[in-house]
Amino acid sequence: MNSTFAKLFAAAASLPLSCAIVLGASAPPPDINYDESKVGSYTLPDPLVCADGTKVTDAATWRVKRRPEILELFRANMHGRSPARPAEMKFEVTSVDKQALGGRATRKEITVRFGPEPDAPPMRLLLYVPNAAPKPVPAFIGVNFEGNHTIAADPGITLTDQWTWDNKTKTESLKRPGEETRGKSIGRWALDKAFARGYAVATIPRADIEPDYAEGWRHGIRGYSLKKSGRTEFAPDDWGAIGAWAWGLSRALDYFETDSDIDAKHVVVMGHSRMGKTALWAGAQDERFAIVISNDSGEGGAALARRWFGETTAVINKAFPHWFCANFKQFSGHADKLPMDQHELVALSAPRPVYVASAEEDRWADPRGEFLSAKNAGPVYQLFGKEGVGVDEMPAVNHPVGDTVGYHIRTGKHDVTEYDWEQYLRFADRHFGRGK
Ligand code: GCU
């Protein structure tokens, strides 16, 4: 941290505006802040005040007027606009193994084809259905980081080629992941815990929808859609990679609606970190997702943008220029100018249950900012007669709170752990009226 700059900024911030401008304090602080006393004051946009100043006092006005307004703010300024479900989409079940994982689950692999052209990127969906549970079963779905084969040490999962970026050589290449990566992320997918409670678990690889680097869109659904639209450049409010991943989750849900093993009305969308940002956006846009779960989603996810703590709009736009729409760049260092904030993204899940989770050592993601989003989504839930997090202050570590809006901060690092899954499964059971 550049302490000279920080001191100057702190000094300038306490001066009258005219003096502050002389000192150059109108420029955004470039530093990362981990000091709660330096967060500064901010005013959150009120989810219950419409653009024309009308106060929202009932659920109907929220649904008909205010919710569409907030959704539009996120579309226009952050995530961009996503296309409709492709008319020519097809599902091909490419493999079924009824005795997967030692007979505990049926494994299905489904290729989702977005169009008939050979350059239409295939999305490969992996689905495990617990054999012991009566069908149809509820399901959890999330986007995985490095391929379907990383979520379980299951030799039957197809290893698929994916475009990857080498940061050292600054080159991209189409690679088949090695066998040694099978089951690599097993700790983040508590399959047996989910099966024991009767849930299916499904996942899609991020690289199938969009490889995660600045130029990756050329190999994903955004490049394909752009070409189909006859354009060569994205509009400032066209979707970014997070929009694309979220869209992929909705297309997986389209498939669930055709699979008699899955109860498509009880699908939980869940994601970690950048995929937590994705899960929140998927749930906001697609109300068919029954529960929305954000695990350590941080900046651009559950964390309030206006808090100067951990990652900032400036940092995220610089490091991941492809995640959000081009319009979002104007808020780099100017989060206070955003016409919305992330508590309103959480509120877009209302009245459906939503769960926000943080990790104590994950300061980059700003745990307090995540909690405050969950808390400040509460007034929207109250319109529906539902309780939000139910507490004013951040709870102690490992003490989950909340009814329809769940929240916990657990000990440990930025990750998805068994502890997180236990809370999510319990939360889903409670809201789906299961496990009594
Ligand atoms: C980076 C990024 C975060 C993101 C995280 C992840 O740390 O700055 O915004 O959540 O990667 O996805 O793992």
Side-chain angles (χ1 to χ4, degrees):
M1 162 132 174
N2 175 342
S3 61
T4 316
F5 187 95
K7 275 186 207 134
L8 207 79
F9 179 75
S14 62
L15 293 171
L17 192 61
S18 54
C19 305
I21 289 166
V22 174
L23 273 174
S26 57
D31 300 338
I32 303 303
N33 174 45
Y34 285 132
D35 180 347
E36 192 59 40
S37 72
K38 290 204 185 117
V39 166
S41 62
Y42 54 87
T43 308
L44 289 181
D46 189 337
L48 297 187
V49 177
C50 296
D52 64 5
T54 318
K55 186 104 182 81
V56 182
T57 53
D58 60 89
T61 311
W62 165 261
R63 287 216 58 82
V64 178
K65 190 169 175 183
R66 185 58 178 151
R67 185 179 195 280
E69 279 182 8
I70 294 180
L71 201 50
E72 174 56 21
L73 291 177
F74 280 96
R75 285 191 174 131
N77 299 291
M78 189 172 189
H79 288 302
R81 296 173 204 289
S82 311
R85 167 193 165 131
E88 295 168 301
M89 184 166 64
K90 290 216 162 44
F91 308 119
E92 290 167 20
V93 179
T94 56
S95 77
V96 177
D97 179 354
K98 297 197 163 160
Q99 293 303 319
L101 301 172
R104 297 194 296 284
T106 294
R107 182 189 60 245
K108 301 187 192 184
E109 293 183 306
I110 303 101
T111 297
V112 181
R113 299 213 178 268
F114 300 127
E117 303 85 353
D119 62 343
M123 182 177 89
R124 282 146 300 200
L125 168 65
L126 168 68
L127 169 63
Y128 283 116
V129 181
N131 284 337
K135 312 294 176 302
V137 291
F140 275 71
I141 180 152
V143 182
N144 65 69
F145 283 65
E146 292 179 77
N148 291 345
H149 65 286
T150 60
I151 81 153
D154 176 352
I157 305 173
T158 308
L159 295 175
T160 50
D161 292 342
Q162 46 183 280
W163 285 95
T164 52
W165 175 254
D166 183 337
N167 212 20
K168 278 196 202 115
T169 58
K170 309 269 180 247
T171 52
E172 54 173 8
S173 51
L174 189 60
K175 276 198 188 137
R176 169 80 36 102
E179 274 296 335
E180 73 286 356
T181 58
R182 201 179 279 286
K184 187 180 165 194
S185 306
I186 202 165
R188 286 187 172 176
W189 298 85
L191 298 181
D192 282 328
K193 279 202 158 64
F195 299 161
R197 288 179 183 248
Y199 290 85
V201 178
T203 189
I204 46 180
R206 66 174 163 176
D208 276 14
I209 309 157
E210 174 157 339
D212 192 0
Y213 50 90
E215 296 296 317
W217 61 270
R218 294 178 196 283
H219 309 295
I221 187 65
R222 284 202 298 146
Y224 170 73
S225 306
L226 189 69
K227 197 162 146 199
K228 267 201 124 168
S229 72
R231 294 177 299 145
T232 52
E233 276 180 36
F234 291 116
D237 61 348
D238 269 341
W239 54 346
I242 291 178
W245 294 323
W247 185 88
L249 286 165
S250 286
R251 303 293 71 83
L253 185 47
D254 294 338
Y255 166 76
F256 293 154
E257 288 179 339
T258 70
D259 187 327
S260 58
D261 281 345
I262 303 295
D263 172 0
K265 296 222 174 320
H266 292 92
V267 174
V268 183
V269 64
M270 180 239 176
H272 169 61
S273 208
R274 68 199 68 185
M275 297 314 167
K277 310 182 209 296
T278 301
L280 284 170
W281 184 230
Q285 292 204 101
D286 190 338
E287 294 188 86
R288 293 174 303 165
F289 287 113
I291 295 182
V292 182
I293 297 178
S294 148
N295 190 90
D296 305 358
S297 61
E299 184 73 23
L304 291 176
R306 278 171 172 75
R307 272 172 55 86
W308 180 36
F309 194 99
E311 191 170 21
T312 61
T313 48
V315 172
I316 206 167
N317 273 329
K318 188 154 188 270
F320 306 98
H322 54 295
W323 281 2
F324 305 96
C325 72
N327 275 342
F328 193 57
K329 305 284 181 295
Q330 60 190 298
F331 302 103
S332 285
H334 298 287
D336 56 317
K337 302 276 186 322
L338 278 162
M340 72 289 181
D341 210 316
Q342 301 306 102
H343 61 305
E344 294 175 301
L345 179 63
V346 176
L348 286 174
S349 287
R352 295 162 296 158
V354 63
Y355 200 111
V356 173
S358 310
E360 195 180 17
E361 292 170 40
D362 187 17
R363 296 192 308 159
W364 183 241
D366 185 11
R368 181 172 295 277
E370 294 179 321
F371 167 73
L372 289 172
S373 260
K375 176 182 157 182
N376 285 296
V380 177
Y381 280 82
Q382 277 153 18
L383 293 176
F384 293 89
K386 298 190 185 261
E387 208 196 327
V389 291
V391 291
D392 284 331
E393 297 304 322
M394 212 169 154
V397 286
N398 304 330
H399 279 84
V401 293
D403 182 12
T404 316
V405 183
Y407 176 81
H408 74 246
I409 175 166
R410 61 156 170 79
T411 40
K413 294 190 180 28
H414 184 70
D415 202 356
V416 196
T417 65
E418 296 261 328
Y419 178 88
D420 296 319
W421 273 97
E422 277 158 21
Q423 312 319 312
Y424 304 152
L425 287 161
R426 197 171 306 152
F427 187 73
D429 271 357
R430 191 166 86 233
H431 289 289
F432 290 164
R434 296 168 61 85
K436 282 184 187 139

